[in-house]
Amino acid sequence: METCMSFSQDMDGEYEKFIRRMNPPRVVIDNESCKNATVIQVDSANEHGILLEVVQVLTDLNLTITKAYISSDGGWFMDVFNVTDQDGNKITNVEVLDYIYKALGPDSDFGYSIRRSVGVKSAMDHTAIELIGCDRPGLLSELSAVLTHLKCNVVSAEVWTHNTRAAAVMQVTDEETGGAITDSERLSVIKQLLCNVLNGSNKSRKAKTVVSQGITHTERRLHQMMFADRDYERNSDEAAEDKSRPEVNVINWYDKDYSVVTIQCKDRPKLIFDAICTLTDMQYVVFHGNVDASGPEAHQEYCIRHVDGSPVKSEAERQRVVQCLEAAIERRVSEGLKLELCTTDRVGLLSDVTRIFRENSLTVTRAEVTTRGGKAVNTFYVRGASGYPVDPKIIDSIRQSIGQTILKVKGNTEDSNQTTQESPTRFLFGGLFKSRSFCNFGLVRSYS
């Protein structure tokens, strides 16, 4: 049976290669037709998940998608994106443009292997640790202290919190060798001790720790982990009281046998990736889409079907799609005060910094930890442990402890999850269905 499965997978791979050779992807990068954005058009044979990988390539480069047009009926798809850099300028860096072309163009493995490896870092030189459990003040500090005690150095990490749950993907190395940790007994101890910290006193929802030498795309895994943990579930009272939620609607377009998803919320980096990632992981296919994120508000509209070919079939399914998209958008919302730390990396640095946060009654709502050329470049979003805004005097005291030039305040983002509520109907019928031709990209293509 195992041999048959392996043979089948090999045949699938060869078929994908054959289709790609017959229909090589085409990438057009245009810096002329739009005055304030670079236009990227990608045409290729259509396969489930390719849209996500194209968006992933662009967002992994920290590019901002201001507009998008998506069409993938039949065996072919065409995506058009207006993108800018983080400063809102066109993409003129030759290396970045060359990377996009090579990653998505005819000479790449796009449509075959890129779906399995885009944005993924090899874990041969580090050990990947995935953690999920109940959130509480000081949790990141405790986890970091355990890793330091076990002589593990955190070289990169991303931590999200949402709806009382916390998830993290960390890459660690051995303190002595600087490489991956391979001893099975030691890995078992690391896994058990971290799981004990995550469980804490809460026995109602079990924590989970996974240690591996594999490869992973951090943000994709965080979405998958929190989705599997059902962080989208809320009681009816919470749902009724929270007025700051993104506006998500799902209706059926019976004439075309689609379900139409509309999302309206405050724009932020990687918002489109989060939505497409969630729809893909929920096994929905986006056939058509229109995205406008050129202002402070982002409007997304997608015609979808389940991979089995059906639109949303019940009210329960509709509610689940709404809840999961809301959760996906909220997970990355940066609540709290943004602090950036830049200093020479060393073992125990993350533990020391988060301990100081904890001792000053601060809780970390989101964190990004990276190491570049021996430098630790870390971003933390912090709030008071009781949920209130941070007292500036506390921040001054922390900066004196850590170093004024090492830790910098990057601005208060307390209202980052507040959204302006507008009628999604206006966008729905004023956008995708009002006109099926799109010319804001310097291209005119029709759905029909």
Side-chain angles (χ1 to χ4, degrees):
M1 177 67 73
E2 187 174 325
T3 303
C4 290
M5 289 179 64
S6 177
F7 177 76
S8 175
Q9 290 171 350
D10 289 342
M11 288 299 294
D12 288 344
E14 290 302 316
Y15 179 72
E16 288 179 359
K17 289 179 182 178
F18 173 75
I19 292 297
R20 181 184 173 278
R21 285 196 299 268
M22 296 298 294
N23 301 281
R26 184 173 72 99
V27 177
V28 177
I29 301 176
D30 178 8
N31 262 324
E32 302 299 326
S33 62
C34 182
K35 69 176 184 179
N36 54 10
T38 297
V39 180
I40 299 173
Q41 178 182 333
V42 183
D43 298 340
S44 176
N46 188 27
E47 291 181 44
H48 179 56
I50 285 184
L51 171 61
L52 172 60
E53 301 306 340
V54 174
V55 172
Q56 193 169 294
V57 167
L58 299 177
T59 55
D60 282 348
L61 290 168
N62 291 319
L63 303 182
T64 300
I65 300 172
T66 59
K67 291 181 183 292
Y69 161 69
I70 299 157
S71 181
S72 60
D73 263 344
W76 194 259
F77 86 100
M78 186 195 82
D79 294 349
V80 182
F81 302 93
N82 280 19
V83 301
T84 66
D85 63 20
Q86 291 178 300
D87 298 320
N89 301 316
K90 290 185 180 184
I91 314 305
T92 56
N93 185 301
V94 175
E95 290 183 1
V96 173
L97 294 173
D98 188 53
Y99 176 84
I100 293 170
Y101 188 79
K102 288 180 177 177
L104 303 178
D107 296 329
S108 73
D109 289 331
F110 178 64
Y112 171 62
S113 66
I114 199 165
R115 289 183 294 113
R116 300 167 177 83
S117 63
V118 154
V120 179
K121 298 176 182 177
S122 171
M124 297 302 292
D125 59 347
H126 64 254
T127 299
I129 301 176
E130 298 176 358
L131 309 162
I132 191 154
C134 285
D135 187 29
R136 66 175 187 274
L139 178 61
L140 181 57
S141 173
E142 294 176 34
L143 293 170
S144 304
V146 168
L147 289 171
T148 300
H149 177 73
L150 295 171
K151 299 188 181 304
C152 300
N153 184 38
V154 180
V155 293
S156 67
E158 189 143 354
V159 181
W160 290 358
T161 62
H162 178 251
N163 195 20
T164 75
R165 304 298 284 171
V169 175
M170 297 180 167
Q171 284 79 41
V172 304
T173 57
D174 180 85
E175 178 182 338
E176 294 182 1
T177 66
I181 301 166
T182 57
D183 181 79
S184 58
E185 290 187 11
R186 186 179 175 194
L187 290 174
S188 179
V189 170
I190 291 171
K191 181 177 176 179
Q192 185 59 54
L193 291 180
L194 290 175
C195 206
N196 290 343
V197 172
L198 284 166
N199 273 320
S201 59
N202 190 313
K203 304 299 181 184
S204 61
R205 296 185 72 178
K206 289 291 184 180
K208 187 177 180 181
T209 305
V210 176
V211 179
S212 73
Q213 306 297 330
I215 55 178
T216 186
H217 183 277
T218 299
E219 294 161 332
R220 180 85 184 273
R221 281 299 300 142
L222 285 167
H223 276 304
Q224 291 172 334
M225 290 160 61
M226 298 197 93
F227 173 73
D229 194 54
R230 305 174 75 89
D231 74 316
Y232 53 85
E233 292 182 341
R234 300 179 193 247
N235 63 49
S236 56
D237 292 338
E238 288 177 320
E241 291 174 4
D242 194 345
K243 304 298 183 184
S244 64
R245 305 286 271 307
E247 187 74 34
V248 181
N249 284 278
V250 180
I251 64 171
N252 280 353
W253 187 11
Y254 294 104
D255 289 347
K256 297 294 183 180
D257 208 27
Y258 293 127
S259 292
V260 181
V261 176
T262 58
I263 305 170
Q264 187 165 304
C265 61
K266 185 174 180 179
D267 191 29
R268 60 160 176 76
K270 303 190 178 183
L271 179 65
I272 298 169
F273 169 82
D274 294 338
I276 297 295
C277 182
T278 299
L279 289 171
T280 303
D281 286 341
M282 292 182 73
Q283 298 298 298
Y284 290 102
V285 179
V286 176
F287 287 87
H288 303 295
N290 184 26
V291 175
D292 185 351
S294 55
E297 292 286 311
H299 308 271
Q300 301 178 62
E301 191 166 65
Y302 304 109
C303 292
I304 67 169
R305 292 186 191 131
H306 195 268
V307 290
D308 64 9
S310 65
V312 172
K313 291 180 284 192
S314 67
E315 177 60 19
E317 183 183 357
R318 190 191 74 82
Q319 286 289 345
R320 188 166 183 262
V321 172
V322 170
Q323 291 172 347
C324 290
L325 285 170
E326 287 176 345
I329 292 167
E330 292 171 345
R331 286 171 196 146
R332 207 197 292 262
V333 169
S334 304
E335 295 183 353
L337 189 69
K338 182 179 180 181
L339 303 177
E340 284 191 358
L341 180 143
C342 183
T343 188
T344 302
D345 188 37
R346 59 175 174 80
V347 176
L349 176 63
L350 182 62
S351 175
D352 291 343
V353 171
T354 53
R355 173 182 53 79
I356 292 172
F357 290 165
R358 186 189 69 207
E359 291 172 349
N360 284 273
S361 299
L362 298 186
T363 185
V364 177
T365 61
R366 189 161 74 88
E368 298 173 14
V369 176
T370 57
T371 306
R372 303 171 190 164
K375 288 281 187 182
V377 183
N378 303 343
T379 301
F380 304 96
Y381 293 87
V382 299
R383 303 188 75 175
S386 57
Y388 293 106
V390 181
D391 186 338
K393 293 180 180 178
I394 291 177
I395 297 299
D396 289 341
S397 174
I398 291 173
R399 293 188 67 205
Q400 288 178 12
S401 299
I402 296 175
Q404 297 282 352
T405 59
I406 293 175
L407 185 68
K408 296 183 179 180
V409 180
K410 303 303 288 187
N412 196 326
T413 59
E414 284 294 330
D415 61 348
S416 62
N417 64 336
Q418 300 298 316
T419 58
T420 302
Q421 303 295 329
E422 294 183 23
S423 169
T425 307
R426 181 171 66 87
F427 177 63
L428 177 66
F429 295 103
L432 184 59
F433 304 138
K434 183 175 179 181
S435 172
R436 297 186 189 177
S437 63
F438 290 76
C439 52
N440 346 348
F441 304 99
L443 302 162
V444 179
R445 294 290 290 268
S446 173
Y447 274 179
S448 340

